[in-house]
Amino acid sequence: MTMTMNPKSTARVAAALALAVVIPAIFWIAQGAVAGLITAGWGWLTVLVFYFGRRRSEAVQIVSGVGDERIRSLNVRALAVAGFVMWAVVTAWWLVSAATGDENDSVGILAATFGVSYIAAAIYLGRRGG
Amino acid sequence: MNNRVREARAAKGISQAALGEALGVSRQTINAIETGRYMPSLPLAFALARFFEIGIEGLFEPEKGDLK
């Protein structure tokens, strides 16, 4: 199977590796060595599954976003579906918390971040033309 | 969009994997194109047409409703 590594794919792998180092480090500092090591184990296991699993499973390859133009296209569409679900959940959560008088600042910030970044992306992509 | 990739590939006597290898895409992508589940990008469509040495119109034909 052909594996195309374009700059965006390389950046994605680099980001995953960075997270697999940074997240355990934070857990180590905040909760101690055991929590850090457990988090590191899960983190590196996830990285290994995505790195080696994409050669065996197309679903894993789509999630990794590393592959040819069809894989990258499916990765974007899968992200759009997940983004839509996240938008629906966060908006519903925010509305329920507002309606019950227990307004949750974190959910409000998440909803606002989604809305602003969505509009900003639409403006940027529209101006870029595609 | 209809395409004649499968026919062109069969005429050339090569496998989906070999075609994918030549164009830098996976065998699954070639299969998805042949079965109409995936519409290739314009650069890949041109690469396919060049590979088979036929015009792009000879390889891909829009269906009624594709051009609105």
Side-chain angles (χ1 to χ4, degrees):
Chain A
M1 183 185 294
T2 305
M3 293 289 175
T4 311
M5 288 285 279
N6 65 8
K8 282 182 185 171
S9 302
T10 309
R12 192 184 292 263
V13 172
L17 289 172
L19 282 175
V21 172
V22 170
I23 293 172
I26 289 170
F27 270 77
W28 187 306
I29 293 165
Q31 297 179 21
V34 175
L37 288 172
I38 290 171
T39 311
W42 281 111
W44 283 96
L45 182 66
T46 306
V47 169
L48 289 174
V49 164
F50 277 95
Y51 188 78
F52 293 107
R54 65 195 167 92
R55 294 168 198 276
R56 294 181 175 272
S57 162
E58 197 164 65
V60 173
Q61 198 182 1
I62 290 166
V63 172
S64 78
V66 179
D68 62 21
E69 64 168 49
R70 186 177 66 91
I71 292 297
R72 293 195 296 272
S73 162
L74 291 173
N75 173 265
V76 170
R77 286 168 63 187
L79 273 174
V81 171
F84 174 78
V85 171
M86 185 61 89
W87 165 78
V89 168
V90 168
T91 303
W93 192 350
W94 175 66
L95 285 173
V96 168
S97 64
T100 55
D102 181 29
E103 209 162 335
N104 187 327
D105 282 347
S106 302
V107 176
I109 290 167
L110 279 176
T113 303
F114 178 87
V116 169
S117 57
Y118 186 42
I119 291 166
I123 291 169
Y124 171 73
L125 291 171
R127 284 188 179 165
R128 207 180 67 161
Chain B
M1 182 78 72
N2 292 316
N3 73 75
R4 299 186 185 87
V5 174
R6 190 183 292 273
E7 293 89 325
R9 182 175 60 77
K12 206 147 185 164
I14 59 166
S15 66
Q16 291 180 338
L19 178 57
E21 185 72 28
L23 299 176
V25 297
S26 68
R27 179 193 62 76
Q28 289 89 338
T29 294
I30 298 298
N31 183 261
I33 293 169
E34 288 186 355
T35 53
R37 289 181 292 116
Y38 175 66
M39 200 183 296
S41 68
L42 209 46
L44 180 55
F46 271 103
L48 281 161
R50 283 205 190 103
F51 182 85
F52 293 120
E53 297 172 325
I54 50 178
I56 198 164
E57 302 91 337
L59 204 55
F60 293 94
E61 186 182 14
E63 285 178 290
K64 199 176 180 181
D66 280 343
L67 301 171
K68 288 179 183 173

